[in-house]
Amino acid sequence: MKKYAVNLKKCYKKETEKKLFKANIALIISLFLAIFIGAADISAAAYIRSSLENKYVSVSAESEKSHNSNKAYIDMVNEHFHKKTIEKSRIKAVEDIMLNQAEAVEIDEIECGMEQFSIHGRSGEYSEIMKYSSIVDDLMEAPGDVVVEGIHVENKYGYEEYLFLLSGFWESEDSR
Amino acid sequence: MSRKNMVAICLILVSAVYAKSSLEGNLKQALRIYRVKSNPKIIEKTTKGYGEVQEKADILSYKMNLTSSQHDVLLFLEEKYRSLGLELVSERHSIEEVSNESSSRKIAVYEVEIRFRGSMVQIIDFLESVRMQEACMGICNMKIAVDDFGVADCSIKLISAGNGY
């Protein structure tokens, strides 16, 4: 009986030792696996970083950042300066009108804004107003858009004088 | 399950999670590089585009350096209308500092409402002298009234933008 018990004990010990050995092997393998995954990832990152420095790849985060900053700067100036100022060619057109004074027409007031311009003037002849209107039409950047908004007759020293108002819209940026 | 096995599983899980998160970023980078390398035209185009924007911003910055100080702008205007013989009636100034979230740069916008009297030719000369290509100075609106004696009363609203520091 005792002999059997000893044998059984031996068998059990052997079995548990075997199991313990297997568990240790599994632990070592899993440790290696974990180290391998980490190492593979670090080397992959290193490879990618080294190839990022390649001369082909100049589109780095840095240049993209400065590009965005440049774009924001241009937009800012555009919004606060260019959008608020009258285009140079339009100012030139107004200057031309100021210089180009028709003989029978007198200019009282010229107003020029971002979208619209208007001319107050006076003339002794009705037909001169139409002639002058077409002259302004030619000079302006908005051909065909100059309209005679109103004519008012005034008696001055016994003569009839026509006061007129011409106006026009500048062509919008999009339609050009 | 023994304690050792638990430790092993935890180790593998932690390394897998780490690898997943960092590999994802790395793979994205790698894909981008691959795309760029496989199509060099993209990179050429992008670099060219970036260069153009950079150049534009540099020119703008240079132009705005000339109008960076309000005093300089006002002295410039004063010199112009004085030398042309225009008679100043009134002047009104305002300054606005503008900054943008995505750009670290600031700009200063000066508004000058100026009113003076003179002949048409003098006013045209003045308009031409402030219409400078090399500076950020422009006209917002203007009104010219001529009286019976041919003297023009001109009021102009000028805007100039300069680099803010």
Side-chain angles (χ1 to χ4, degrees), chain A residues 24 27 30 37 41 45 48 56 59 64 67 70 73 76 80-81 85-86 88 95 99 108-110 112, chain B residues 4 8 22-23 26 29 32 43 54 61 98 105 127-128 131 136 139-140 142-146 159 163:
Chain A
N24 280 341
L27 187 68
S30 62
I37 292 173
D41 187 61
I48 289 163
Y56 284 107
V59 195
E64 204 169 300
H67 170 70
N70 280 334
Y73 178 65
M76 197 157 71
H80 291 95
F81 176 71
T85 51
I86 304 170
K88 283 166 184 164
E95 283 175 15
L99 283 174
D108 284 340
E109 196 180 289
I110 298 175
C112 174
Chain B
K4 280 180 185 172
S22 73
L23 254 181
N26 289 335
Q29 275 185 341
R32 199 166 138 201
I43 190 82
Q54 171 87 42
S61 175
V98 186
R105 288 187 264 202
L127 292 178
E128 269 171 7
R131 216 174 52 210
C136 277
I139 294 165
C140 177
M142 60 181 182
K143 193 173 171 181
I144 300 139
V146 190
I159 293 187
N163 287 315

mmCIF file of all heavy atoms in Angstrom, chain A residues 24 27 30 37 41 45 48 56 59 64 67 70 73 76 80-81 85-86 88 95 99 108-110 112, chain B residues 4 8 22-23 26 29 32 43 54 61 98 105 127-128 131 136 139-140 142-146 159 163:
data_model
loop_
_atom_site.group_PDB
_atom_site.id
_atom_site.type_symbol
_atom_site.label_atom_id
_atom_site.label_comp_id
_atom_site.label_asym_id
_atom_site.label_seq_id
_atom_site.Cartn_x
_atom_site.Cartn_y
_atom_site.Cartn_z
ATOM 1 N N ASN A 24 6.614 27.858 -17.846
ATOM 2 C CA ASN A 24 7.789 28.744 -17.924
ATOM 3 C C ASN A 24 8.184 29.029 -19.364
ATOM 4 O O ASN A 24 8.498 30.156 -19.738
ATOM 5 C CB ASN A 24 8.973 28.119 -17.183
ATOM 6 C CG ASN A 24 8.850 28.332 -15.688
ATOM 7 O OD1 ASN A 24 8.103 29.218 -15.259
ATOM 8 N ND2 ASN A 24 9.517 27.513 -14.901
ATOM 9 N N LEU A 27 5.834 31.443 -20.822
ATOM 10 C CA LEU A 27 6.119 32.784 -20.305
ATOM 11 C C LEU A 27 7.301 33.412 -21.031
ATOM 12 O O LEU A 27 7.261 34.578 -21.447
ATOM 13 C CB LEU A 27 6.407 32.697 -18.804
ATOM 14 C CG LEU A 27 6.563 34.029 -18.104
ATOM 15 C CD1 LEU A 27 5.244 34.761 -18.070
ATOM 16 C CD2 LEU A 27 7.095 33.845 -16.690
ATOM 17 N N SER A 30 6.292 34.345 -24.543
ATOM 18 C CA SER A 30 5.456 35.552 -24.599
ATOM 19 C C SER A 30 6.268 36.807 -24.309
ATOM 20 O O SER A 30 6.049 37.864 -24.901
ATOM 21 C CB SER A 30 4.279 35.438 -23.631
ATOM 22 O OG SER A 30 4.773 35.317 -22.320
ATOM 23 N N ILE A 37 7.585 42.604 -30.642
ATOM 24 C CA ILE A 37 6.594 43.567 -31.169
ATOM 25 C C ILE A 37 7.080 44.998 -30.946
ATOM 26 O O ILE A 37 7.071 45.840 -31.850
ATOM 27 C CB ILE A 37 5.204 43.359 -30.497
ATOM 28 C CG1 ILE A 37 4.607 42.011 -30.930
ATOM 29 C CG2 ILE A 37 4.239 44.491 -30.857
ATOM 30 C CD1 ILE A 37 3.332 41.636 -30.191
ATOM 31 N N ASP A 41 8.255 47.668 -33.886
ATOM 32 C CA ASP A 41 7.592 48.963 -34.036
ATOM 33 C C ASP A 41 8.580 50.122 -33.977
ATOM 34 O O ASP A 41 8.522 51.040 -34.784
ATOM 35 C CB ASP A 41 6.548 49.121 -32.939
ATOM 36 C CG ASP A 41 5.732 50.349 -33.157
ATOM 37 O OD1 ASP A 41 5.073 50.412 -34.193
ATOM 38 O OD2 ASP A 41 5.815 51.266 -32.324
ATOM 39 N N ALA A 45 9.384 52.787 -36.950
ATOM 40 C CA ALA A 45 9.292 54.238 -36.765
ATOM 41 C C ALA A 45 10.601 54.916 -37.163
ATOM 42 O O ALA A 45 10.609 55.963 -37.819
ATOM 43 C CB ALA A 45 8.963 54.559 -35.323
ATOM 44 N N ILE A 48 10.864 55.023 -40.944
ATOM 45 C CA ILE A 48 9.989 56.048 -41.525
ATOM 46 C C ILE A 48 10.558 57.435 -41.279
ATOM 47 O O ILE A 48 10.589 58.279 -42.170
ATOM 48 C CB ILE A 48 8.557 55.917 -40.950
ATOM 49 C CG1 ILE A 48 7.912 54.656 -41.519
ATOM 50 C CG2 ILE A 48 7.713 57.130 -41.290
ATOM 51 C CD1 ILE A 48 6.706 54.206 -40.760
ATOM 52 N N TYR A 56 13.197 64.213 -51.151
ATOM 53 C CA TYR A 56 11.954 64.236 -51.923
ATOM 54 C C TYR A 56 10.802 64.780 -51.086
ATOM 55 O O TYR A 56 9.883 65.386 -51.571
ATOM 56 C CB TYR A 56 11.594 62.824 -52.393
ATOM 57 C CG TYR A 56 12.431 62.352 -53.540
ATOM 58 C CD1 TYR A 56 13.420 61.391 -53.358
ATOM 59 C CD2 TYR A 56 12.246 62.865 -54.819
ATOM 60 C CE1 TYR A 56 14.193 60.961 -54.399
ATOM 61 C CE2 TYR A 56 13.023 62.443 -55.871
ATOM 62 C CZ TYR A 56 13.992 61.484 -55.658
ATOM 63 O OH TYR A 56 14.757 61.066 -56.693
ATOM 64 N N VAL A 59 7.560 68.308 -48.030
ATOM 65 C CA VAL A 59 6.274 68.722 -47.477
ATOM 66 C C VAL A 59 6.184 68.231 -46.037
ATOM 67 O O VAL A 59 5.418 67.356 -45.701
ATOM 68 C CB VAL A 59 5.099 68.162 -48.310
ATOM 69 C CG1 VAL A 59 3.806 68.875 -47.952
ATOM 70 C CG2 VAL A 59 5.369 68.300 -49.774
ATOM 71 N N GLU A 64 4.291 73.099 -43.955
ATOM 72 C CA GLU A 64 2.840 73.221 -44.071
ATOM 73 C C GLU A 64 2.324 74.287 -43.105
ATOM 74 O O GLU A 64 1.447 75.072 -43.433
ATOM 75 C CB GLU A 64 2.198 71.876 -43.761
ATOM 76 C CG GLU A 64 0.828 71.733 -44.398
ATOM 77 C CD GLU A 64 0.305 70.323 -44.307
ATOM 78 O OE1 GLU A 64 0.966 69.418 -44.833
ATOM 79 O OE2 GLU A 64 -0.746 70.136 -43.700
ATOM 80 N N HIS A 67 3.204 77.632 -44.406
ATOM 81 C CA HIS A 67 2.343 77.899 -45.567
ATOM 82 C C HIS A 67 0.976 78.402 -45.100
ATOM 83 O O HIS A 67 0.453 79.391 -45.616
ATOM 84 C CB HIS A 67 2.203 76.618 -46.382
ATOM 85 C CG HIS A 67 1.171 76.688 -47.463
ATOM 86 N ND1 HIS A 67 1.331 77.455 -48.589
ATOM 87 C CD2 HIS A 67 -0.040 76.103 -47.572
ATOM 88 C CE1 HIS A 67 0.248 77.332 -49.339
ATOM 89 N NE2 HIS A 67 -0.588 76.528 -48.753
ATOM 90 N N ASN A 70 1.275 81.895 -43.802
ATOM 91 C CA ASN A 70 1.373 82.851 -44.913
ATOM 92 C C ASN A 70 0.015 83.123 -45.540
ATOM 93 O O ASN A 70 -0.330 84.262 -45.851
ATOM 94 C CB ASN A 70 2.306 82.309 -46.011
ATOM 95 C CG ASN A 70 3.748 82.510 -45.660
ATOM 96 O OD1 ASN A 70 4.088 83.406 -44.901
ATOM 97 N ND2 ASN A 70 4.616 81.666 -46.194
ATOM 98 N N TYR A 73 -2.081 85.281 -43.392
ATOM 99 C CA TYR A 73 -1.586 86.668 -43.465
ATOM 100 C C TYR A 73 -2.135 87.370 -44.709
ATOM 101 O O TYR A 73 -2.659 88.486 -44.643
ATOM 102 C CB TYR A 73 -0.065 86.606 -43.490
ATOM 103 C CG TYR A 73 0.674 87.911 -43.600
ATOM 104 C CD1 TYR A 73 0.605 88.862 -42.582
ATOM 105 C CD2 TYR A 73 1.470 88.185 -44.709
ATOM 106 C CE1 TYR A 73 1.321 90.040 -42.678
ATOM 107 C CE2 TYR A 73 2.185 89.356 -44.801
ATOM 108 C CZ TYR A 73 2.103 90.287 -43.778
ATOM 109 O OH TYR A 73 2.804 91.447 -43.877
ATOM 110 N N MET A 76 -5.767 88.032 -44.360
ATOM 111 C CA MET A 76 -6.019 89.107 -43.401
ATOM 112 C C MET A 76 -5.850 90.471 -44.077
ATOM 113 O O MET A 76 -6.688 91.361 -43.925
ATOM 114 C CB MET A 76 -5.002 88.956 -42.261
ATOM 115 C CG MET A 76 -5.345 89.691 -41.010
ATOM 116 S SD MET A 76 -4.519 88.940 -39.598
ATOM 117 C CE MET A 76 -2.829 89.396 -39.880
ATOM 118 N N HIS A 80 -8.851 93.215 -44.762
ATOM 119 C CA HIS A 80 -8.842 94.511 -44.096
ATOM 120 C C HIS A 80 -8.279 95.634 -44.930
ATOM 121 O O HIS A 80 -8.331 96.787 -44.546
ATOM 122 C CB HIS A 80 -8.063 94.423 -42.778
ATOM 123 C CG HIS A 80 -8.773 93.593 -41.770
ATOM 124 N ND1 HIS A 80 -8.496 92.261 -41.597
ATOM 125 C CD2 HIS A 80 -9.770 93.886 -40.916
ATOM 126 C CE1 HIS A 80 -9.290 91.772 -40.666
ATOM 127 N NE2 HIS A 80 -10.071 92.733 -40.246
ATOM 128 N N PHE A 81 -7.693 95.301 -46.083
ATOM 129 C CA PHE A 81 -7.152 96.375 -46.916
ATOM 130 C C PHE A 81 -7.700 96.330 -48.341
ATOM 131 O O PHE A 81 -8.423 97.233 -48.754
ATOM 132 C CB PHE A 81 -5.616 96.325 -46.915
ATOM 133 C CG PHE A 81 -5.001 97.347 -47.818
ATOM 134 C CD1 PHE A 81 -5.048 98.687 -47.475
ATOM 135 C CD2 PHE A 81 -4.417 96.982 -49.016
ATOM 136 C CE1 PHE A 81 -4.519 99.642 -48.315
ATOM 137 C CE2 PHE A 81 -3.889 97.929 -49.865
ATOM 138 C CZ PHE A 81 -3.945 99.263 -49.511
ATOM 139 N N THR A 85 -10.561 98.992 -50.404
ATOM 140 C CA THR A 85 -10.042 100.100 -51.218
ATOM 141 C C THR A 85 -10.529 100.010 -52.659
ATOM 142 O O THR A 85 -10.731 98.922 -53.196
ATOM 143 C CB THR A 85 -8.497 100.114 -51.217
ATOM 144 O OG1 THR A 85 -8.037 98.815 -51.560
ATOM 145 C CG2 THR A 85 -7.946 100.515 -49.883
ATOM 146 N N ILE A 86 -10.682 101.175 -53.240
ATOM 147 C CA ILE A 86 -11.137 101.244 -54.629
ATOM 148 C C ILE A 86 -9.967 100.869 -55.532
ATOM 149 O O ILE A 86 -8.836 101.297 -55.291
ATOM 150 C CB ILE A 86 -11.613 102.670 -54.970
ATOM 151 C CG1 ILE A 86 -12.702 103.115 -53.998
ATOM 152 C CG2 ILE A 86 -12.122 102.749 -56.396
ATOM 153 C CD1 ILE A 86 -13.053 104.584 -54.099
ATOM 154 N N LYS A 88 -7.257 100.696 -58.410
ATOM 155 C CA LYS A 88 -6.501 101.813 -58.989
ATOM 156 C C LYS A 88 -7.046 102.244 -60.348
ATOM 157 O O LYS A 88 -7.079 103.430 -60.664
ATOM 158 C CB LYS A 88 -5.030 101.427 -59.106
ATOM 159 C CG LYS A 88 -4.380 101.505 -57.755
ATOM 160 C CD LYS A 88 -3.050 100.842 -57.713
ATOM 161 C CE LYS A 88 -2.545 100.904 -56.269
ATOM 162 N NZ LYS A 88 -1.468 99.996 -56.008
ATOM 163 N N GLU A 95 -10.240 110.179 -62.345
ATOM 164 C CA GLU A 95 -9.290 111.253 -62.691
ATOM 165 C C GLU A 95 -9.503 111.717 -64.130
ATOM 166 O O GLU A 95 -9.481 112.916 -64.425
ATOM 167 C CB GLU A 95 -7.851 110.752 -62.530
ATOM 168 C CG GLU A 95 -7.393 110.691 -61.097
ATOM 169 C CD GLU A 95 -6.009 110.083 -60.973
ATOM 170 O OE1 GLU A 95 -5.301 109.974 -61.996
ATOM 171 O OE2 GLU A 95 -5.658 109.702 -59.867
ATOM 172 N N LEU A 99 -10.475 115.456 -65.503
ATOM 173 C CA LEU A 99 -9.675 116.205 -66.487
ATOM 174 C C LEU A 99 -10.461 116.508 -67.746
ATOM 175 O O LEU A 99 -10.317 117.563 -68.361
ATOM 176 C CB LEU A 99 -8.426 115.386 -66.864
ATOM 177 C CG LEU A 99 -7.298 115.380 -65.848
ATOM 178 C CD1 LEU A 99 -6.201 114.421 -66.298
ATOM 179 C CD2 LEU A 99 -6.704 116.775 -65.677
ATOM 180 N N ASP A 108 -20.332 119.792 -60.739
ATOM 181 C CA ASP A 108 -20.467 120.344 -59.390
ATOM 182 C C ASP A 108 -19.856 119.416 -58.338
ATOM 183 O O ASP A 108 -19.209 119.846 -57.412
ATOM 184 C CB ASP A 108 -21.953 120.545 -59.054
ATOM 185 C CG ASP A 108 -22.497 121.777 -59.753
ATOM 186 O OD1 ASP A 108 -21.675 122.620 -60.146
ATOM 187 O OD2 ASP A 108 -23.735 121.874 -59.903
ATOM 188 N N GLU A 109 -20.114 118.147 -58.524
ATOM 189 C CA GLU A 109 -19.653 117.200 -57.507
ATOM 190 C C GLU A 109 -19.444 115.813 -58.104
ATOM 191 O O GLU A 109 -20.262 115.341 -58.890
ATOM 192 C CB GLU A 109 -20.699 117.125 -56.388
ATOM 193 C CG GLU A 109 -20.195 116.503 -55.118
ATOM 194 C CD GLU A 109 -21.284 116.451 -54.050
ATOM 195 O OE1 GLU A 109 -21.633 117.527 -53.531
ATOM 196 O OE2 GLU A 109 -21.769 115.351 -53.763
ATOM 197 N N ILE A 110 -18.345 115.196 -57.719
ATOM 198 C CA ILE A 110 -18.104 113.805 -58.128
ATOM 199 C C ILE A 110 -17.951 112.984 -56.860
ATOM 200 O O ILE A 110 -17.216 113.363 -55.953
ATOM 201 C CB ILE A 110 -16.813 113.670 -58.968
ATOM 202 C CG1 ILE A 110 -16.910 114.480 -60.256
ATOM 203 C CG2 ILE A 110 -16.535 112.203 -59.293
ATOM 204 C CD1 ILE A 110 -15.632 114.489 -61.077
ATOM 205 N N CYS A 112 -17.178 109.047 -55.450
ATOM 206 C CA CYS A 112 -16.730 107.725 -55.884
ATOM 207 C C CYS A 112 -16.589 106.807 -54.682
ATOM 208 O O CYS A 112 -15.858 107.106 -53.741
ATOM 209 C CB CYS A 112 -15.386 107.892 -56.605
ATOM 210 S SG CYS A 112 -14.607 106.364 -57.051
ATOM 211 N N LYS B 4 1.783 33.562 -13.268
ATOM 212 C CA LYS B 4 2.777 33.795 -14.333
ATOM 213 C C LYS B 4 2.099 33.978 -15.690
ATOM 214 O O LYS B 4 2.462 34.852 -16.485
ATOM 215 C CB LYS B 4 3.753 32.631 -14.389
ATOM 216 C CG LYS B 4 4.836 32.714 -13.333
ATOM 217 C CD LYS B 4 5.747 31.522 -13.469
ATOM 218 C CE LYS B 4 6.773 31.513 -12.346
ATOM 219 N NZ LYS B 4 7.530 30.258 -12.353
ATOM 220 N N ALA B 8 2.109 37.126 -18.315
ATOM 221 C CA ALA B 8 2.481 36.998 -19.729
ATOM 222 C C ALA B 8 1.411 37.589 -20.632
ATOM 223 O O ALA B 8 1.704 38.351 -21.560
ATOM 224 C CB ALA B 8 2.683 35.530 -20.070
ATOM 225 N N SER B 22 1.078 53.253 -32.048
ATOM 226 C CA SER B 22 2.186 53.960 -32.714
ATOM 227 C C SER B 22 2.342 53.532 -34.163
ATOM 228 O O SER B 22 2.716 54.321 -35.010
ATOM 229 C CB SER B 22 3.481 53.771 -31.937
ATOM 230 O OG SER B 22 3.938 52.473 -32.116
ATOM 231 N N LEU B 23 1.996 52.280 -34.432
ATOM 232 C CA LEU B 23 2.116 51.827 -35.830
ATOM 233 C C LEU B 23 1.119 52.532 -36.745
ATOM 234 O O LEU B 23 1.403 52.784 -37.907
ATOM 235 C CB LEU B 23 1.892 50.318 -35.908
ATOM 236 C CG LEU B 23 3.136 49.470 -36.145
ATOM 237 C CD1 LEU B 23 2.767 48.018 -36.215
ATOM 238 C CD2 LEU B 23 3.860 49.877 -37.421
ATOM 239 N N ASN B 26 2.647 55.698 -37.718
ATOM 240 C CA ASN B 26 3.779 55.438 -38.607
ATOM 241 C C ASN B 26 3.321 55.006 -39.992
ATOM 242 O O ASN B 26 3.873 55.424 -41.003
ATOM 243 C CB ASN B 26 4.680 54.366 -38.014
ATOM 244 C CG ASN B 26 5.436 54.890 -36.821
ATOM 245 O OD1 ASN B 26 5.659 56.090 -36.709
ATOM 246 N ND2 ASN B 26 5.807 54.003 -35.918
ATOM 247 N N GLN B 29 2.104 57.921 -42.036
ATOM 248 C CA GLN B 29 3.245 58.674 -42.566
ATOM 249 C C GLN B 29 3.835 57.937 -43.772
ATOM 250 O O GLN B 29 4.121 58.529 -44.803
ATOM 251 C CB GLN B 29 4.322 58.802 -41.495
ATOM 252 C CG GLN B 29 4.104 59.974 -40.565
ATOM 253 C CD GLN B 29 5.259 60.125 -39.593
ATOM 254 O OE1 GLN B 29 6.025 59.203 -39.377
ATOM 255 N NE2 GLN B 29 5.369 61.300 -39.026
ATOM 256 N N ARG B 32 1.838 58.251 -46.885
ATOM 257 C CA ARG B 32 1.982 59.582 -47.479
ATOM 258 C C ARG B 32 3.282 59.679 -48.271
ATOM 259 O O ARG B 32 3.308 60.159 -49.400
ATOM 260 C CB ARG B 32 1.957 60.620 -46.352
ATOM 261 C CG ARG B 32 1.647 61.993 -46.852
ATOM 262 C CD ARG B 32 1.317 62.870 -45.688
ATOM 263 N NE ARG B 32 1.948 64.162 -45.850
ATOM 264 C CZ ARG B 32 2.184 64.990 -44.866
ATOM 265 N NH1 ARG B 32 1.890 64.654 -43.635
ATOM 266 N NH2 ARG B 32 2.720 66.144 -45.087
ATOM 267 N N ILE B 43 4.436 66.552 -55.444
ATOM 268 C CA ILE B 43 5.357 67.288 -54.574
ATOM 269 C C ILE B 43 5.853 68.547 -55.276
ATOM 270 O O ILE B 43 5.955 69.607 -54.673
ATOM 271 C CB ILE B 43 6.530 66.376 -54.120
ATOM 272 C CG1 ILE B 43 7.346 67.058 -53.017
ATOM 273 C CG2 ILE B 43 7.467 66.006 -55.222
ATOM 274 C CD1 ILE B 43 6.728 66.886 -51.690
ATOM 275 N N GLN B 54 4.425 81.925 -50.409
ATOM 276 C CA GLN B 54 5.510 82.510 -49.598
ATOM 277 C C GLN B 54 5.977 83.829 -50.229
ATOM 278 O O GLN B 54 6.152 84.834 -49.546
ATOM 279 C CB GLN B 54 6.665 81.494 -49.536
ATOM 280 C CG GLN B 54 7.944 82.017 -48.920
ATOM 281 C CD GLN B 54 7.928 81.858 -47.414
ATOM 282 O OE1 GLN B 54 7.502 80.832 -46.922
ATOM 283 N NE2 GLN B 54 8.359 82.878 -46.699
ATOM 284 N N SER B 61 4.540 91.726 -47.095
ATOM 285 C CA SER B 61 5.193 92.125 -45.846
ATOM 286 C C SER B 61 6.157 93.289 -46.097
ATOM 287 O O SER B 61 6.236 94.227 -45.300
ATOM 288 C CB SER B 61 5.941 90.922 -45.278
ATOM 289 O OG SER B 61 6.653 91.285 -44.153
ATOM 290 N N VAL B 98 -5.163 94.419 -36.166
ATOM 291 C CA VAL B 98 -5.866 93.190 -36.533
ATOM 292 C C VAL B 98 -4.925 92.008 -36.391
ATOM 293 O O VAL B 98 -3.778 92.066 -36.832
ATOM 294 C CB VAL B 98 -6.354 93.264 -37.998
ATOM 295 C CG1 VAL B 98 -7.211 92.066 -38.324
ATOM 296 C CG2 VAL B 98 -7.122 94.540 -38.261
ATOM 297 N N ARG B 105 1.232 86.765 -37.196
ATOM 298 C CA ARG B 105 1.501 88.162 -37.566
ATOM 299 C C ARG B 105 0.304 89.064 -37.303
ATOM 300 O O ARG B 105 -0.840 88.636 -37.391
ATOM 301 C CB ARG B 105 1.888 88.218 -39.039
ATOM 302 C CG ARG B 105 3.276 87.649 -39.254
ATOM 303 C CD ARG B 105 3.704 87.854 -40.665
ATOM 304 N NE ARG B 105 3.443 86.679 -41.454
ATOM 305 C CZ ARG B 105 4.074 86.410 -42.577
ATOM 306 N NH1 ARG B 105 4.976 87.226 -43.034
ATOM 307 N NH2 ARG B 105 3.789 85.333 -43.257
ATOM 308 N N LEU B 127 -3.924 112.465 -55.885
ATOM 309 C CA LEU B 127 -4.434 111.091 -56.030
ATOM 310 C C LEU B 127 -3.373 110.188 -56.655
ATOM 311 O O LEU B 127 -3.192 109.045 -56.258
ATOM 312 C CB LEU B 127 -5.701 111.069 -56.894
ATOM 313 C CG LEU B 127 -6.958 111.713 -56.321
ATOM 314 C CD1 LEU B 127 -8.093 111.651 -57.328
ATOM 315 C CD2 LEU B 127 -7.376 111.011 -55.047
ATOM 316 N N GLU B 128 -2.668 110.755 -57.637
ATOM 317 C CA GLU B 128 -1.631 109.958 -58.300
ATOM 318 C C GLU B 128 -0.466 109.661 -57.362
ATOM 319 O O GLU B 128 0.121 108.590 -57.412
ATOM 320 C CB GLU B 128 -1.144 110.664 -59.562
ATOM 321 C CG GLU B 128 -1.962 110.207 -60.742
ATOM 322 C CD GLU B 128 -1.717 110.982 -62.003
ATOM 323 O OE1 GLU B 128 -0.799 111.822 -62.019
ATOM 324 O OE2 GLU B 128 -2.465 110.755 -62.969
ATOM 325 N N ARG B 131 -1.303 106.901 -54.941
ATOM 326 C CA ARG B 131 -1.598 105.608 -55.577
ATOM 327 C C ARG B 131 -0.279 104.883 -55.823
ATOM 328 O O ARG B 131 0.172 104.742 -56.934
ATOM 329 C CB ARG B 131 -2.328 105.877 -56.886
ATOM 330 C CG ARG B 131 -3.380 104.851 -57.203
ATOM 331 C CD ARG B 131 -4.164 105.227 -58.392
ATOM 332 N NE ARG B 131 -3.325 105.543 -59.535
ATOM 333 C CZ ARG B 131 -3.656 106.405 -60.492
ATOM 334 N NH1 ARG B 131 -4.779 107.036 -60.437
ATOM 335 N NH2 ARG B 131 -2.851 106.624 -61.500
ATOM 336 N N CYS B 136 1.151 99.662 -49.300
ATOM 337 C CA CYS B 136 -0.244 99.288 -49.112
ATOM 338 C C CYS B 136 -1.030 100.517 -48.685
ATOM 339 O O CYS B 136 -1.290 100.733 -47.500
ATOM 340 C CB CYS B 136 -0.352 98.186 -48.074
ATOM 341 S SG CYS B 136 -0.067 96.578 -48.753
ATOM 342 N N ILE B 139 -7.463 104.127 -51.551
ATOM 343 C CA ILE B 139 -8.551 105.071 -51.301
ATOM 344 C C ILE B 139 -9.840 104.291 -51.091
ATOM 345 O O ILE B 139 -10.164 103.389 -51.871
ATOM 346 C CB ILE B 139 -8.683 106.054 -52.484
ATOM 347 C CG1 ILE B 139 -7.426 106.938 -52.541
ATOM 348 C CG2 ILE B 139 -9.936 106.918 -52.356
ATOM 349 C CD1 ILE B 139 -7.255 107.693 -53.824
ATOM 350 N N CYS B 140 -10.545 104.635 -50.029
ATOM 351 C CA CYS B 140 -11.783 103.917 -49.720
ATOM 352 C C CYS B 140 -12.969 104.619 -50.394
ATOM 353 O O CYS B 140 -13.806 103.976 -51.012
ATOM 354 C CB CYS B 140 -11.957 103.886 -48.223
ATOM 355 S SG CYS B 140 -13.437 103.125 -47.666
ATOM 356 N N MET B 142 -14.138 108.826 -52.095
ATOM 357 C CA MET B 142 -13.778 110.234 -52.239
ATOM 358 C C MET B 142 -14.937 111.042 -52.814
ATOM 359 O O MET B 142 -15.809 110.518 -53.494
ATOM 360 C CB MET B 142 -12.536 110.389 -53.110
ATOM 361 C CG MET B 142 -12.657 109.857 -54.496
ATOM 362 S SD MET B 142 -11.091 110.109 -55.329
ATOM 363 C CE MET B 142 -11.468 109.476 -56.922
ATOM 364 N N LYS B 143 -14.906 112.332 -52.477
ATOM 365 C CA LYS B 143 -15.976 113.216 -52.905
ATOM 366 C C LYS B 143 -15.339 114.550 -53.276
ATOM 367 O O LYS B 143 -14.582 115.122 -52.471
ATOM 368 C CB LYS B 143 -16.947 113.400 -51.738
ATOM 369 C CG LYS B 143 -18.244 114.015 -52.098
ATOM 370 C CD LYS B 143 -19.131 113.957 -50.873
ATOM 371 C CE LYS B 143 -20.381 114.765 -51.087
ATOM 372 N NZ LYS B 143 -21.237 114.734 -49.912
ATOM 373 N N ILE B 144 -15.597 114.983 -54.479
ATOM 374 C CA ILE B 144 -15.006 116.244 -54.925
ATOM 375 C C ILE B 144 -16.122 117.191 -55.334
ATOM 376 O O ILE B 144 -16.914 116.884 -56.235
ATOM 377 C CB ILE B 144 -14.049 116.018 -56.114
ATOM 378 C CG1 ILE B 144 -12.924 115.061 -55.692
ATOM 379 C CG2 ILE B 144 -13.436 117.319 -56.615
ATOM 380 C CD1 ILE B 144 -12.572 114.065 -56.726
ATOM 381 N N ALA B 145 -16.203 118.325 -54.647
ATOM 382 C CA ALA B 145 -17.236 119.315 -54.987
ATOM 383 C C ALA B 145 -16.546 120.563 -55.525
ATOM 384 O O ALA B 145 -15.548 121.015 -54.962
ATOM 385 C CB ALA B 145 -18.043 119.647 -53.747
ATOM 386 N N VAL B 146 -17.079 121.082 -56.619
ATOM 387 C CA VAL B 146 -16.454 122.261 -57.231
ATOM 388 C C VAL B 146 -17.373 123.472 -57.036
ATOM 389 O O VAL B 146 -18.570 123.390 -57.319
ATOM 390 C CB VAL B 146 -16.227 122.028 -58.747
ATOM 391 C CG1 VAL B 146 -15.370 123.136 -59.345
ATOM 392 C CG2 VAL B 146 -15.579 120.680 -58.989
ATOM 393 N N ILE B 159 -6.954 104.445 -46.751
ATOM 394 C CA ILE B 159 -6.667 103.315 -45.849
ATOM 395 C C ILE B 159 -5.249 102.843 -46.130
ATOM 396 O O ILE B 159 -4.843 102.735 -47.291
ATOM 397 C CB ILE B 159 -7.636 102.147 -46.093
ATOM 398 C CG1 ILE B 159 -9.048 102.520 -45.690
ATOM 399 C CG2 ILE B 159 -7.191 100.906 -45.322
ATOM 400 C CD1 ILE B 159 -10.023 101.380 -45.745
ATOM 401 N N ASN B 163 2.619 96.467 -41.162
ATOM 402 C CA ASN B 163 2.904 95.350 -40.276
ATOM 403 C C ASN B 163 2.823 95.815 -38.823
ATOM 404 O O ASN B 163 3.417 96.808 -38.460
ATOM 405 C CB ASN B 163 4.298 94.802 -40.546
ATOM 406 C CG ASN B 163 4.350 94.039 -41.839
ATOM 407 O OD1 ASN B 163 3.464 93.237 -42.129
ATOM 408 N ND2 ASN B 163 5.359 94.292 -42.643
#
